[in-house]
mmCIF file of all heavy atoms in Angstrom:
data_model
loop_
_atom_site.group_PDB
_atom_site.id
_atom_site.type_symbol
_atom_site.label_atom_id
_atom_site.label_comp_id
_atom_site.label_asym_id
_atom_site.label_seq_id
_atom_site.Cartn_x
_atom_site.Cartn_y
_atom_site.Cartn_z
ATOM 1 N N GLU A 129 94.114 97.571 112.950
ATOM 2 C CA GLU A 129 94.524 98.968 112.772
ATOM 3 C C GLU A 129 94.402 99.368 111.340
ATOM 4 O O GLU A 129 94.223 100.506 110.990
ATOM 5 C CB GLU A 129 95.927 99.125 113.165
ATOM 6 C CG GLU A 129 96.111 99.073 114.697
ATOM 7 C CD GLU A 129 97.629 99.236 115.152
ATOM 8 O OE1 GLU A 129 98.466 99.376 114.237
ATOM 9 O OE2 GLU A 129 97.910 99.157 116.302
ATOM 10 N N TRP A 130 94.494 98.371 110.363
ATOM 11 C CA TRP A 130 94.375 98.691 108.940
ATOM 12 C C TRP A 130 92.905 98.436 108.499
ATOM 13 O O TRP A 130 92.697 98.454 107.194
ATOM 14 C CB TRP A 130 95.270 97.773 108.134
ATOM 15 C CG TRP A 130 96.709 97.882 108.555
ATOM 16 C CD1 TRP A 130 97.304 98.989 109.087
ATOM 17 C CD2 TRP A 130 97.672 96.970 108.438
ATOM 18 N NE1 TRP A 130 98.523 98.742 109.312
ATOM 19 C CE2 TRP A 130 98.952 97.521 108.864
ATOM 20 C CE3 TRP A 130 97.749 95.530 107.923
ATOM 21 C CZ2 TRP A 130 100.185 96.850 108.969
ATOM 22 C CZ3 TRP A 130 99.041 94.962 107.916
ATOM 23 C CH2 TRP A 130 100.108 95.528 108.467
ATOM 24 N N GLY A 131 91.916 98.132 109.368
ATOM 25 C CA GLY A 131 90.580 97.941 109.031
ATOM 26 C C GLY A 131 90.173 96.530 108.568
ATOM 27 O O GLY A 131 89.236 96.259 107.995
ATOM 28 N N LEU A 132 91.115 95.598 108.972
ATOM 29 C CA LEU A 132 90.861 94.190 108.736
ATOM 30 C C LEU A 132 90.454 93.445 110.116
ATOM 31 O O LEU A 132 91.353 93.341 110.960
ATOM 32 C CB LEU A 132 92.149 93.467 108.178
ATOM 33 C CG LEU A 132 92.556 94.044 106.799
ATOM 34 C CD1 LEU A 132 93.896 93.379 106.413
ATOM 35 C CD2 LEU A 132 91.622 93.772 105.690
ATOM 36 N N ASN A 133 89.216 93.071 110.163
ATOM 37 C CA ASN A 133 88.892 92.336 111.308
ATOM 38 C C ASN A 133 89.001 90.786 111.083
ATOM 39 O O ASN A 133 88.223 90.211 110.229
ATOM 40 C CB ASN A 133 87.377 92.666 111.566
ATOM 41 C CG ASN A 133 87.217 94.114 111.926
ATOM 42 O OD1 ASN A 133 87.966 94.598 112.702
ATOM 43 N ND2 ASN A 133 86.156 94.735 111.470
ATOM 44 N N VAL A 134 89.894 90.125 111.783
ATOM 45 C CA VAL A 134 90.120 88.651 111.601
ATOM 46 C C VAL A 134 89.815 88.004 112.946
ATOM 47 O O VAL A 134 89.944 88.668 114.110
ATOM 48 C CB VAL A 134 91.576 88.457 111.087
ATOM 49 C CG1 VAL A 134 91.723 88.994 109.738
ATOM 50 C CG2 VAL A 134 92.563 89.025 112.096
ATOM 51 N N SER A 135 89.530 86.873 112.918
ATOM 52 C CA SER A 135 89.230 86.103 114.121
ATOM 53 C C SER A 135 90.310 85.119 114.487
ATOM 54 O O SER A 135 91.220 84.898 113.583
ATOM 55 C CB SER A 135 87.894 85.290 113.941
ATOM 56 O OG SER A 135 88.065 84.410 112.915
ATOM 57 N N ASN A 136 90.317 84.654 115.742
ATOM 58 C CA ASN A 136 91.330 83.690 116.124
ATOM 59 C C ASN A 136 91.204 82.330 115.268
ATOM 60 O O ASN A 136 92.202 81.766 114.991
ATOM 61 C CB ASN A 136 91.116 83.500 117.621
ATOM 62 C CG ASN A 136 92.294 82.508 118.188
ATOM 63 O OD1 ASN A 136 93.299 82.466 117.554
ATOM 64 N ND2 ASN A 136 92.167 82.108 119.375
ATOM 65 N N GLU A 137 89.981 81.931 115.010
ATOM 66 C CA GLU A 137 89.757 80.826 114.199
ATOM 67 C C GLU A 137 90.371 80.911 112.745
ATOM 68 O O GLU A 137 91.000 79.948 112.331
ATOM 69 C CB GLU A 137 88.288 80.511 114.121
ATOM 70 C CG GLU A 137 87.883 79.193 113.438
ATOM 71 C CD GLU A 137 88.386 78.013 114.111
ATOM 72 O OE1 GLU A 137 88.550 78.136 115.441
ATOM 73 O OE2 GLU A 137 88.524 76.906 113.509
ATOM 74 N N GLN A 138 90.380 82.082 112.238
ATOM 75 C CA GLN A 138 90.868 82.247 110.881
ATOM 76 C C GLN A 138 92.373 82.188 110.824
ATOM 77 O O GLN A 138 92.987 81.647 109.879
ATOM 78 C CB GLN A 138 90.496 83.647 110.401
ATOM 79 C CG GLN A 138 89.064 83.669 109.884
ATOM 80 C CD GLN A 138 88.599 85.068 109.430
ATOM 81 O OE1 GLN A 138 89.134 86.091 109.946
ATOM 82 N NE2 GLN A 138 87.665 85.113 108.571
ATOM 83 N N LEU A 139 93.050 82.542 111.954
ATOM 84 C CA LEU A 139 94.462 82.471 112.049
ATOM 85 C C LEU A 139 94.948 81.078 112.452
ATOM 86 O O LEU A 139 96.010 80.595 112.106
ATOM 87 C CB LEU A 139 95.046 83.498 113.094
ATOM 88 C CG LEU A 139 94.875 84.992 112.670
ATOM 89 C CD1 LEU A 139 95.389 85.884 113.751
ATOM 90 C CD2 LEU A 139 95.698 85.212 111.404
ATOM 91 N N VAL A 140 94.080 80.378 113.269
ATOM 92 C CA VAL A 140 94.551 79.014 113.658
ATOM 93 C C VAL A 140 94.292 78.000 112.502
ATOM 94 O O VAL A 140 95.096 77.173 112.257
ATOM 95 C CB VAL A 140 93.619 78.616 114.877
ATOM 96 C CG1 VAL A 140 93.877 77.104 115.164
ATOM 97 C CG2 VAL A 140 93.994 79.398 116.113
ATOM 98 N N ARG A 141 93.128 78.267 111.774
ATOM 99 C CA ARG A 141 92.929 77.464 110.514
ATOM 100 C C ARG A 141 92.729 78.342 109.330
ATOM 101 O O ARG A 141 91.597 78.608 108.863
ATOM 102 C CB ARG A 141 91.640 76.599 110.763
ATOM 103 C CG ARG A 141 91.726 75.540 111.886
ATOM 104 C CD ARG A 141 90.475 74.720 112.007
ATOM 105 N NE ARG A 141 90.609 73.819 113.103
ATOM 106 C CZ ARG A 141 90.365 74.048 114.419
ATOM 107 N NH1 ARG A 141 90.018 75.332 114.795
ATOM 108 N NH2 ARG A 141 90.541 73.115 115.317
ATOM 109 N N PRO A 142 93.823 78.814 108.819
ATOM 110 C CA PRO A 142 93.710 79.769 107.716
ATOM 111 C C PRO A 142 93.211 79.102 106.338
ATOM 112 O O PRO A 142 93.709 77.846 106.151
ATOM 113 C CB PRO A 142 95.116 80.260 107.469
ATOM 114 C CG PRO A 142 96.103 79.215 108.109
ATOM 115 C CD PRO A 142 95.243 78.583 109.159
ATOM 116 N N SER A 143 92.490 79.790 105.674
ATOM 117 C CA SER A 143 92.024 79.293 104.320
ATOM 118 C C SER A 143 92.712 80.090 103.213
ATOM 119 O O SER A 143 93.386 81.110 103.443
ATOM 120 C CB SER A 143 90.512 79.486 104.205
ATOM 121 O OG SER A 143 90.112 80.891 104.270
ATOM 122 N N SER A 144 92.586 79.549 101.931
ATOM 123 C CA SER A 144 93.285 80.235 100.797
ATOM 124 C C SER A 144 92.682 81.637 100.533
ATOM 125 O O SER A 144 93.521 82.569 100.390
ATOM 126 C CB SER A 144 93.052 79.340 99.571
ATOM 127 O OG SER A 144 93.724 79.947 98.426
ATOM 128 N N ASP A 145 91.443 81.797 100.633
ATOM 129 C CA ASP A 145 90.796 83.139 100.376
ATOM 130 C C ASP A 145 91.157 84.062 101.522
ATOM 131 O O ASP A 145 91.543 85.290 101.207
ATOM 132 C CB ASP A 145 89.301 83.063 100.330
ATOM 133 C CG ASP A 145 88.831 82.232 99.176
ATOM 134 O OD1 ASP A 145 89.478 82.075 98.131
ATOM 135 O OD2 ASP A 145 87.768 81.687 99.170
ATOM 136 N N PHE A 146 91.291 83.503 102.706
ATOM 137 C CA PHE A 146 91.710 84.462 103.863
ATOM 138 C C PHE A 146 93.128 85.011 103.668
ATOM 139 O O PHE A 146 93.382 86.197 103.855
ATOM 140 C CB PHE A 146 91.562 83.700 105.191
ATOM 141 C CG PHE A 146 92.104 84.411 106.377
ATOM 142 C CD1 PHE A 146 91.535 85.610 106.881
ATOM 143 C CD2 PHE A 146 93.254 83.980 106.921
ATOM 144 C CE1 PHE A 146 92.067 86.175 107.871
ATOM 145 C CE2 PHE A 146 93.814 84.586 107.987
ATOM 146 C CZ PHE A 146 93.292 85.716 108.573
ATOM 147 N N VAL A 147 94.053 84.081 103.424
ATOM 148 C CA VAL A 147 95.394 84.561 103.301
ATOM 149 C C VAL A 147 95.649 85.467 102.084
ATOM 150 O O VAL A 147 96.312 86.433 102.163
ATOM 151 C CB VAL A 147 96.344 83.299 103.232
ATOM 152 C CG1 VAL A 147 96.320 82.603 104.577
ATOM 153 C CG2 VAL A 147 96.127 82.453 102.160
ATOM 154 N N ILE A 148 94.912 85.189 101.028
ATOM 155 C CA ILE A 148 95.119 86.039 99.885
ATOM 156 C C ILE A 148 94.584 87.446 100.147
ATOM 157 O O ILE A 148 95.285 88.439 99.909
ATOM 158 C CB ILE A 148 94.325 85.406 98.675
ATOM 159 C CG1 ILE A 148 95.021 84.153 98.031
ATOM 160 C CG2 ILE A 148 94.291 86.402 97.575
ATOM 161 C CD1 ILE A 148 94.279 83.460 97.014
ATOM 162 N N SER A 149 93.400 87.499 100.826
ATOM 163 C CA SER A 149 92.907 88.906 101.171
ATOM 164 C C SER A 149 93.801 89.659 102.133
ATOM 165 O O SER A 149 94.070 90.880 101.910
ATOM 166 C CB SER A 149 91.534 88.761 101.729
ATOM 167 O OG SER A 149 91.587 87.959 102.942
ATOM 168 N N VAL A 150 94.360 88.923 103.130
ATOM 169 C CA VAL A 150 95.167 89.604 104.130
ATOM 170 C C VAL A 150 96.587 89.905 103.490
ATOM 171 O O VAL A 150 97.065 91.052 103.669
ATOM 172 C CB VAL A 150 95.453 88.716 105.336
ATOM 173 C CG1 VAL A 150 96.509 89.202 106.266
ATOM 174 C CG2 VAL A 150 94.152 88.435 106.027
ATOM 175 N N TYR A 151 97.144 89.080 102.704
ATOM 176 C CA TYR A 151 98.480 89.330 102.007
ATOM 177 C C TYR A 151 98.163 90.526 101.106
ATOM 178 O O TYR A 151 99.047 91.401 100.830
ATOM 179 C CB TYR A 151 98.859 88.182 101.211
ATOM 180 C CG TYR A 151 99.427 86.988 102.080
ATOM 181 C CD1 TYR A 151 99.653 85.767 101.605
ATOM 182 C CD2 TYR A 151 99.494 87.220 103.525
ATOM 183 C CE1 TYR A 151 100.106 84.785 102.334
ATOM 184 C CE2 TYR A 151 99.928 86.133 104.251
ATOM 185 C CZ TYR A 151 100.222 84.937 103.762
ATOM 186 O OH TYR A 151 100.604 83.868 104.585
ATOM 187 N N ASN A 152 97.104 90.628 100.372
ATOM 188 C CA ASN A 152 96.875 91.750 99.414
ATOM 189 C C ASN A 152 96.742 93.018 100.246
ATOM 190 O O ASN A 152 97.232 94.152 99.741
ATOM 191 C CB ASN A 152 95.614 91.420 98.633
ATOM 192 C CG ASN A 152 95.748 90.434 97.581
ATOM 193 O OD1 ASN A 152 96.926 90.114 97.164
ATOM 194 N ND2 ASN A 152 94.625 89.781 97.054
ATOM 195 N N ALA A 153 96.078 92.951 101.458
ATOM 196 C CA ALA A 153 96.000 94.135 102.220
ATOM 197 C C ALA A 153 97.390 94.626 102.656
ATOM 198 O O ALA A 153 97.703 95.851 102.691
ATOM 199 C CB ALA A 153 95.112 93.867 103.417
ATOM 200 N N CYS A 154 98.227 93.721 103.038
ATOM 201 C CA CYS A 154 99.649 94.115 103.445
ATOM 202 C C CYS A 154 100.358 94.720 102.300
ATOM 203 O O CYS A 154 101.059 95.666 102.396
ATOM 204 C CB CYS A 154 100.419 92.849 103.984
ATOM 205 S SG CYS A 154 99.690 92.234 105.584
ATOM 206 N N LEU A 155 100.254 93.999 101.142
ATOM 207 C CA LEU A 155 100.860 94.560 99.912
ATOM 208 C C LEU A 155 100.366 95.926 99.611
ATOM 209 O O LEU A 155 101.154 96.863 99.126
ATOM 210 C CB LEU A 155 100.600 93.643 98.759
ATOM 211 C CG LEU A 155 101.160 94.018 97.355
ATOM 212 C CD1 LEU A 155 102.778 94.014 97.404
ATOM 213 C CD2 LEU A 155 100.694 93.086 96.279
ATOM 214 N N GLU A 156 99.113 96.157 99.776
ATOM 215 C CA GLU A 156 98.517 97.534 99.357
ATOM 216 C C GLU A 156 98.926 98.533 100.404
ATOM 217 O O GLU A 156 99.154 99.744 99.995
ATOM 218 C CB GLU A 156 97.022 97.343 99.510
ATOM 219 C CG GLU A 156 96.249 98.688 98.960
ATOM 220 C CD GLU A 156 94.797 98.532 98.876
ATOM 221 O OE1 GLU A 156 94.256 97.349 99.234
ATOM 222 O OE2 GLU A 156 94.117 99.414 98.478
ATOM 223 N N GLN A 157 99.221 98.239 101.656
ATOM 224 C CA GLN A 157 99.710 99.182 102.582
ATOM 225 C C GLN A 157 101.087 99.721 102.203
ATOM 226 O O GLN A 157 101.292 100.921 102.473
ATOM 227 C CB GLN A 157 99.827 98.453 103.996
ATOM 228 C CG GLN A 157 98.535 98.125 104.731
ATOM 229 C CD GLN A 157 97.823 99.476 105.153
ATOM 230 O OE1 GLN A 157 98.410 100.391 105.520
ATOM 231 N NE2 GLN A 157 96.415 99.342 105.004
ATOM 232 N N VAL A 158 101.921 98.991 101.649
ATOM 233 C CA VAL A 158 103.348 99.483 101.256
ATOM 234 C C VAL A 158 103.358 99.906 99.794
ATOM 235 O O VAL A 158 103.940 101.027 99.577
ATOM 236 C CB VAL A 158 104.245 98.325 101.406
ATOM 237 C CG1 VAL A 158 105.725 98.821 101.102
ATOM 238 C CG2 VAL A 158 104.298 97.894 102.964
ATOM 239 N N THR A 159 102.839 99.314 98.810
ATOM 240 C CA THR A 159 102.971 99.500 97.460
ATOM 241 C C THR A 159 101.723 100.179 96.765
ATOM 242 O O THR A 159 101.841 100.512 95.619
ATOM 243 C CB THR A 159 103.373 98.259 96.685
ATOM 244 O OG1 THR A 159 102.316 97.226 96.812
ATOM 245 C CG2 THR A 159 104.695 97.713 97.257
ATOM 246 N N SER A 160 100.577 100.094 97.509
ATOM 247 C CA SER A 160 99.364 100.572 96.862
ATOM 248 C C SER A 160 98.871 99.747 95.701
ATOM 249 O O SER A 160 98.110 100.182 94.799
ATOM 250 C CB SER A 160 99.364 102.048 96.522
ATOM 251 O OG SER A 160 99.711 102.828 97.644
ATOM 252 N N ILE A 161 99.386 98.503 95.611
ATOM 253 C CA ILE A 161 99.012 97.643 94.556
ATOM 254 C C ILE A 161 97.784 96.752 94.996
ATOM 255 O O ILE A 161 98.011 96.068 96.047
ATOM 256 C CB ILE A 161 100.203 96.772 94.136
ATOM 257 C CG1 ILE A 161 101.268 97.711 93.425
ATOM 258 C CG2 ILE A 161 99.717 95.712 93.115
ATOM 259 C CD1 ILE A 161 102.481 96.857 93.120
ATOM 260 N N SER A 162 96.714 96.792 94.407
ATOM 261 C CA SER A 162 95.481 96.107 94.812
ATOM 262 C C SER A 162 95.025 95.375 93.466
ATOM 263 O O SER A 162 95.447 95.587 92.311
ATOM 264 C CB SER A 162 94.436 97.027 95.313
ATOM 265 O OG SER A 162 94.031 97.833 94.333
ATOM 266 N N PRO A 163 94.077 94.407 93.614
ATOM 267 C CA PRO A 163 93.471 93.754 92.526
ATOM 268 C C PRO A 163 92.849 94.719 91.499
ATOM 269 O O PRO A 163 92.946 94.435 90.322
ATOM 270 C CB PRO A 163 92.485 92.792 93.109
ATOM 271 C CG PRO A 163 93.040 92.458 94.383
ATOM 272 C CD PRO A 163 93.607 93.767 94.912
ATOM 273 N N ASN A 164 92.315 95.834 92.012
ATOM 274 C CA ASN A 164 91.772 96.852 91.143
ATOM 275 C C ASN A 164 92.769 97.491 90.202
ATOM 276 O O ASN A 164 92.559 97.790 89.127
ATOM 277 C CB ASN A 164 90.997 97.821 91.979
ATOM 278 C CG ASN A 164 89.720 97.283 92.574
ATOM 279 O OD1 ASN A 164 89.070 96.321 92.123
ATOM 280 N ND2 ASN A 164 89.375 97.786 93.740
ATOM 281 N N VAL A 165 93.888 97.716 90.890
ATOM 282 C CA VAL A 165 95.043 98.358 90.164
ATOM 283 C C VAL A 165 95.637 97.380 89.059
ATOM 284 O O VAL A 165 95.929 97.853 87.954
ATOM 285 C CB VAL A 165 96.139 98.764 91.066
ATOM 286 C CG1 VAL A 165 97.391 99.328 90.331
ATOM 287 C CG2 VAL A 165 95.687 99.819 92.053
ATOM 288 N N LEU A 166 95.512 96.162 89.357
ATOM 289 C CA LEU A 166 96.126 95.117 88.476
ATOM 290 C C LEU A 166 95.111 94.789 87.485
ATOM 291 O O LEU A 166 95.431 93.884 86.555
ATOM 292 C CB LEU A 166 96.663 93.970 89.201
ATOM 293 C CG LEU A 166 97.759 94.179 90.127
ATOM 294 C CD1 LEU A 166 98.061 92.865 90.856
ATOM 295 C CD2 LEU A 166 98.997 94.641 89.429
ATOM 296 N N HIS A 167 93.913 95.342 87.460
ATOM 297 C CA HIS A 167 92.906 94.878 86.506
ATOM 298 C C HIS A 167 93.238 95.263 85.089
ATOM 299 O O HIS A 167 93.109 94.451 84.098
ATOM 300 C CB HIS A 167 91.532 95.472 86.843
ATOM 301 C CG HIS A 167 90.416 95.143 85.979
ATOM 302 N ND1 HIS A 167 89.906 93.845 85.748
ATOM 303 C CD2 HIS A 167 89.731 95.871 85.073
ATOM 304 C CE1 HIS A 167 88.950 93.887 85.006
ATOM 305 N NE2 HIS A 167 88.801 94.943 84.447
ATOM 306 N N LYS A 168 93.673 96.542 84.993
ATOM 307 C CA LYS A 168 94.027 97.104 83.527
ATOM 308 C C LYS A 168 95.183 96.327 82.949
ATOM 309 O O LYS A 168 95.190 95.835 81.814
ATOM 310 C CB LYS A 168 94.373 98.459 83.698
ATOM 311 C CG LYS A 168 93.084 99.408 83.879
ATOM 312 C CD LYS A 168 93.482 100.839 83.760
ATOM 313 C CE LYS A 168 92.204 101.691 84.071
ATOM 314 N NZ LYS A 168 92.495 103.238 83.975
ATOM 315 N N PRO A 169 96.434 96.068 83.689
ATOM 316 C CA PRO A 169 97.398 95.263 83.097
ATOM 317 C C PRO A 169 96.943 93.824 82.631
ATOM 318 O O PRO A 169 97.354 93.269 81.730
ATOM 319 C CB PRO A 169 98.482 95.135 84.169
ATOM 320 C CG PRO A 169 98.218 96.458 84.965
ATOM 321 C CD PRO A 169 96.732 96.699 85.001
ATOM 322 N N THR A 170 96.044 93.272 83.548
ATOM 323 C CA THR A 170 95.537 91.938 83.201
ATOM 324 C C THR A 170 94.735 91.900 81.891
ATOM 325 O O THR A 170 94.832 91.042 81.046
ATOM 326 C CB THR A 170 94.633 91.449 84.340
ATOM 327 O OG1 THR A 170 95.378 91.458 85.592
ATOM 328 C CG2 THR A 170 94.088 90.013 84.061
ATOM 329 N N GLN A 171 93.889 93.069 81.753
ATOM 330 C CA GLN A 171 93.101 93.142 80.516
ATOM 331 C C GLN A 171 93.934 93.364 79.289
ATOM 332 O O GLN A 171 93.753 92.821 78.180
ATOM 333 C CB GLN A 171 92.129 94.328 80.667
ATOM 334 C CG GLN A 171 91.016 94.029 81.725
ATOM 335 C CD GLN A 171 90.236 92.753 81.424
ATOM 336 O OE1 GLN A 171 89.860 92.513 80.293
ATOM 337 N NE2 GLN A 171 89.873 92.021 82.400
ATOM 338 N N ARG A 172 95.151 94.133 79.484
ATOM 339 C CA ARG A 172 96.004 94.329 78.323
ATOM 340 C C ARG A 172 96.689 93.014 77.974
ATOM 341 O O ARG A 172 96.886 92.717 76.859
ATOM 342 C CB ARG A 172 97.146 95.331 78.694
ATOM 343 C CG ARG A 172 96.552 96.765 78.759
ATOM 344 C CD ARG A 172 97.671 97.763 78.659
ATOM 345 N NE ARG A 172 98.522 97.686 79.792
ATOM 346 C CZ ARG A 172 98.322 98.371 80.873
ATOM 347 N NH1 ARG A 172 97.366 99.259 81.082
ATOM 348 N NH2 ARG A 172 99.294 98.275 81.917
ATOM 349 N N ALA A 173 96.954 92.246 79.091
ATOM 350 C CA ALA A 173 97.736 90.840 78.741
ATOM 351 C C ALA A 173 96.718 89.968 78.038
ATOM 352 O O ALA A 173 97.042 89.209 77.126
ATOM 353 C CB ALA A 173 98.168 90.264 80.038
ATOM 354 N N LEU A 174 95.452 89.977 78.405
ATOM 355 C CA LEU A 174 94.465 89.212 77.779
ATOM 356 C C LEU A 174 94.181 89.624 76.313
ATOM 357 O O LEU A 174 93.947 88.814 75.435
ATOM 358 C CB LEU A 174 93.130 89.228 78.620
ATOM 359 C CG LEU A 174 93.258 88.527 79.944
ATOM 360 C CD1 LEU A 174 91.889 88.760 80.687
ATOM 361 C CD2 LEU A 174 93.322 86.987 79.792
ATOM 362 N N ALA A 175 94.239 91.011 76.163
ATOM 363 C CA ALA A 175 93.989 91.445 74.828
ATOM 364 C C ALA A 175 95.133 91.050 73.862
ATOM 365 O O ALA A 175 94.924 90.922 72.614
ATOM 366 C CB ALA A 175 93.832 93.023 74.861
ATOM 367 N N SER A 176 96.330 90.939 74.368
ATOM 368 C CA SER A 176 97.505 90.607 73.490
ATOM 369 C C SER A 176 97.592 89.175 73.130
ATOM 370 O O SER A 176 98.246 88.649 72.320
ATOM 371 C CB SER A 176 98.759 90.939 74.214
ATOM 372 O OG SER A 176 98.984 90.083 75.436
#
């Protein structure tokens, strides 16, 4: 329903990239925080 197509195999044997992408999608559904949104704070932290 959120546009994420996952397979039964991915849920039975989840990988690190898979769970990170799905968890980020859930986080973005509620808080609108995505890796793109966090790019600028990351760059500011690196610049400091």
Side-chain angles (χ1 to χ4, degrees):
E129 292 178 359
W130 303 335
L132 296 174
N133 295 321
V134 298
S135 63
N136 190 9
E137 183 67 21
Q138 289 176 326
L139 291 174
V140 172
R141 295 181 179 86
S143 62
S144 178
D145 296 334
F146 168 71
V147 296
I148 289 174
S149 62
V150 175
Y151 292 166
N152 288 338
C154 295
L155 178 65
E156 188 175 359
Q157 288 291 325
V158 177
T159 62
S160 300
I161 296 176
S162 63
N164 294 328
V165 174
L166 297 176
H167 179 69
K168 290 183 179 180
T170 303
Q171 294 301 320
R172 286 198 299 269
L174 290 173
S176 63

